[in-house]
Amino acid sequence: MSTLANILIDGVAYGMVLFVIAVGLSVTLGLMRFVNLSHGAFAMVGGYCAALLTREAQWSFWGAVPVAILATALLGAVLEVLVLRHLYRRKELDQVLFTIGLSFLLIAGTNALVGPQVQLIPLPPVLAGSVDLGFRTLPAQRLLVIGAGLAVAAAAAWTVTRTRFGVWLRAAVDHAGTASALGIPIRTVQCVSFAAGAALAGFGGILGAELMPLEPYYALKYLVLVLVVVAVGGMGSIAGSLAAAVLLGVIETASKYLASDWGNLFFFLAMAALLAWRPNGLLKR
Amino acid sequence: MPISRRALASAALVATASFLTVANAQAQTIKVGIVGPFSGPFAHYGTLFKAGAEAYVASQGGKLAGKTVEFIYRDTGGPNPAQTKTLVQELIVKDKVDYLGGFVFTPNAMAVAPLIQQSQTPTVIFNAATSSITEKSEYFVRTSYTLWQVTVPVAQWAAKQGMKKVVTAVTDYGPGIDAEAAFKSEFAKQGGTVVESIRMPLTTTDFGPFVQRIRASGAQAVYAFLPGGPPNLGFVKAYNENGLAKAGIQFLGTAETDEFDLQKFGDAALGLTTAFHYSGAHDSPANKKFVAALKQRDPNAVANYASVGAWDGMYVIHKMIEATGGQRDGAKAIAAARALQWESPRGPVRIDPKTRHIVQNVYLRKVERVGEMLVNKEVQSFGPQADHGLDK
């Protein structure tokens, strides 16, 4: 009984970490259909900004996080305007090659500027402790991740389905020519969406850093996990990504409690089974 | 057309002369090939090898036994036996190195054994820590440590503290399994029980579930082995966040509190107990000299097991050059290395004549804060330890 409760608690907490790391990609890859393998690199940039601002510049955590997210968004916007927009109409292979190259560039840059050591983001006292759940404890930071993950999921889903900007975005992705003819400013929409995706990546990099510590190879190390979440969740479905992340998180955690000698087998087995069952996404028939 | 006698004679003269200059030049400079990762995720090892080796030569006034030393660095990236073999073959055949040093990963070191055996090239291992490597060629000497060497004393210590039940939690790959076997066999010999052996996948990021299992097992301590960097950090964080330290479950480790990442742990590291052969805070004149030389060579270099392994490795090469007078004589060099005994930055050490592995003190350390910095404070010495992995 207590094992089951442990699996659910740890599983949901881990799943939410997966979700906050993946949600940026479900915007750029899922909604914009841009094969963005530099997602991990953007997450890394966000995380490093937060780590350097809090540690080196002695900012408070709550001040550093929004600034780090904005900085990542700005980097995303600049790259989009200068380079990435030329890739939207290119083949997927071109997009893959370019974005993976961009990742390597950012890895080498980070390594040269900050060094190969692991970077930690110092947490404020409120988050650094543990919360007593009666029969066990849970790191307080995990509660923030769960709350923030749900808020981001709700906000993103609302923006895409209920606002004018969401309508523009879907129109611009589905048929750029028609959307443009109808007077939708598609360049602005694309640029803002990509910047938002980068901002969410940075956000995930910061909140996920407790489990996936920042180091130069961060950009590629966790890419597979993130791609799995987006693929199982379904292209462009934020709610699907959330469901996939939590489900996979619980499965992975259960295997750690019950059958850790099998390594990551059950995680990938679950991925294969879910993709076979719902190839278009967990919540789409 | 017959070749004139004069032409023949002058040709012979030229050939002899050039042969002599080559022989001369070889006697003047000693070439040492350093093989390690200089790029990729493990590049810091290469940087530390380079800093440690060059700092040693600089501390001897730039020459070893009156000979100039030329370092040739070769990059293996990560664990890559095939490429390492090619690089070492090139070093031996093309660059004609007199000595080899370095090697971070066991498979890389294993792969070059036949090459150094055939070419009789003395090779000093600065890091790779699997016991059986030195058995693969009689030209291997090792100045690092083995997992058995540091794990057996910590198992004995745990038993002496009255611990009866311990959990092992190791990363599920070669060295982790080695560490688990070492702890289990010694702890059982001392009358204790390993109540659960947890093997954690190499890609684990969330250590919470494993730490909960350790807590639920009712053990008094956890013996952990994790590779450096993120996994290490993640495990220690989970250990603290889930209140294991408060519940009185002691942390026992080896290289987990390595100086390279130690400052990043913050207060989470305070009080962690490890058994290891070198602490950057070892209090001795030899260590102070080493740390000063290292900082002078490279201000960013960290005094840890990798840089001290390179420093002591160069000491062994220095003595081998001395014994052979700079001539190429692998057998004589190794014979000299077998008898070495000296004061290393880590304390008194010697080379075991039988296994060619370093015999050294292993210390019990606790992480403490000294000023701004976290250090591994040595609280007890277990005395000289041989490689228990080969003695078994």
Side-chain angles (χ1 to χ4, degrees), chain B residues 287-306:
Chain B
N287 189 42
K288 291 208 171 76
K289 187 182 153 202
F290 162 63
V291 175
L294 193 68
K295 292 285 170 203
Q296 199 182 4
R297 178 73 202 76
D298 178 357
N300 293 322
V302 181
N304 73 345
Y305 62 95

Side-chain angles (χ1 to χ4, degrees), chain A residues 24-50:
Chain A
L25 189 66
S26 81
V27 172
T28 47
L29 172 70
L31 284 173
M32 298 180 70
R33 318 259 166 89
F34 176 63
V35 188
N36 178 20
L37 295 190
S38 55
H39 172 76
F42 283 112
M44 180 173 77
V45 168
Y48 266 79
C49 283

Side-chain angles (χ1 to χ4, degrees), chain A residues 51-61 64, chain B residues 372:
Chain A
L52 294 178
L53 283 175
T54 45
R55 236 192 25 243
E56 307 297 328
Q58 301 287 330
W59 287 32
S60 88
F61 180 78
Chain B
E372 288 278 284

Side-chain angles (χ1 to χ4, degrees), chain A:
Chain A
M1 185 57 217
S2 94
T3 310
L4 188 68
N6 274 336
I7 289 175
L8 282 178
I9 293 169
D10 283 328
V12 170
Y14 180 57
M16 289 310 280
V17 173
L18 283 182
F19 174 71
V20 296
I21 289 197
V23 62
L25 189 66
S26 81
V27 172
T28 47
L29 172 70
L31 284 173
M32 298 180 70
R33 318 259 166 89
F34 176 63
V35 188
N36 178 20
L37 295 190
S38 55
H39 172 76
F42 283 112
M44 180 173 77
V45 168
Y48 266 79
C49 283
L52 294 178
L53 283 175
T54 45
R55 236 192 25 243
E56 307 297 328
Q58 301 287 330
W59 287 32
S60 88
F61 180 78
W62 307 109
V65 169
V67 173
I69 293 174
L70 276 178
T72 320
L74 201 65
L75 177 72
V78 168
L79 278 172
E80 203 270 353
V81 170
L82 293 179
V83 210
L84 296 175
R85 69 190 178 106
H86 301 293
L87 289 162
Y88 289 145
R89 288 203 208 123
R90 301 285 283 270
K91 285 194 300 286
E92 276 141 358
L93 184 62
D94 293 350
Q95 301 178 348
V96 165
L97 287 177
F98 183 85
T99 52
I100 208 97
L102 183 63
S103 295
F104 280 123
L105 192 78
L106 286 169
I107 288 173
T110 319
N111 200 359
L113 290 175
V114 194
Q117 275 112 334
V118 172
Q119 303 293 324
L120 286 187
I121 305 172
L123 293 174
V126 193
L127 296 177
S130 311
V131 178
D132 201 344
L133 299 179
F135 70 107
R136 58 164 287 179
T137 55
L138 188 71
Q141 195 264 357
R142 236 54 109 234
L143 292 179
L144 172 74
V145 174
I146 293 175
L150 290 174
V152 164
W158 180 76
T159 311
V160 173
T161 51
R162 295 265 182 274
T163 62
R164 177 157 296 252
F165 184 81
V167 175
W168 284 355
L169 172 60
R170 282 177 287 147
V173 169
D174 283 343
H175 207 289
T178 314
S180 175
L182 289 171
I184 296 174
I186 58 164
R187 275 301 303 136
T188 317
V189 170
Q190 285 168 338
C191 185
V192 169
S193 306
F194 192 86
L200 287 174
F203 176 73
I206 297 166
L207 284 189
E210 284 290 295
L211 289 189
M212 294 155 197
L214 298 155
E215 31 118 16
Y217 276 79
Y218 180 95
L220 294 177
K221 215 170 192 173
Y222 306 112
L223 197 59
V224 172
L225 275 183
V226 172
L227 285 170
V228 167
V229 169
V230 175
V232 171
M235 300 290 266
S237 163
I238 307 263
S241 292
L242 178 62
V246 171
L247 186 61
L248 289 168
V250 171
I251 289 170
E252 168 86 353
T253 304
S255 91
K256 280 178 185 164
Y257 271 106
L258 305 172
S260 61
D261 290 354
W262 292 86
N264 300 107
L265 179 79
F266 293 103
F267 181 84
F268 290 106
L269 217 56
M271 174 197 83
L274 289 171
L275 281 176
W277 177 52
R278 289 277 168 88
N280 296 321
L282 208 51
L283 301 180
K284 288 179 195 161
R285 286 193 177 275

Side-chain angles (χ1 to χ4, degrees), chain B residues 120-178:
Chain B
Q120 305 190 344
T121 311
T123 300
V124 183
I125 297 168
F126 294 172
N127 185 64
T130 304
S131 293
S132 56
I133 299 173
T134 53
E135 288 176 327
K136 302 295 173 201
S137 162
E138 55 196 277
Y139 291 92
F140 274 134
V141 181
R142 177 159 47 194
T143 56
S144 56
Y145 72 107
T146 67
L147 279 165
W148 282 79
Q149 194 173 25
V150 294
T151 298
V152 166
V154 77
Q156 290 168 346
W157 181 79
K160 273 208 196 89
Q161 298 300 303
M163 293 179 193
K164 292 276 167 243
K165 293 196 281 182
V166 173
V167 174
T168 61
V170 302
T171 295
D172 199 357
Y173 75 133
I177 308 227
D178 220 18

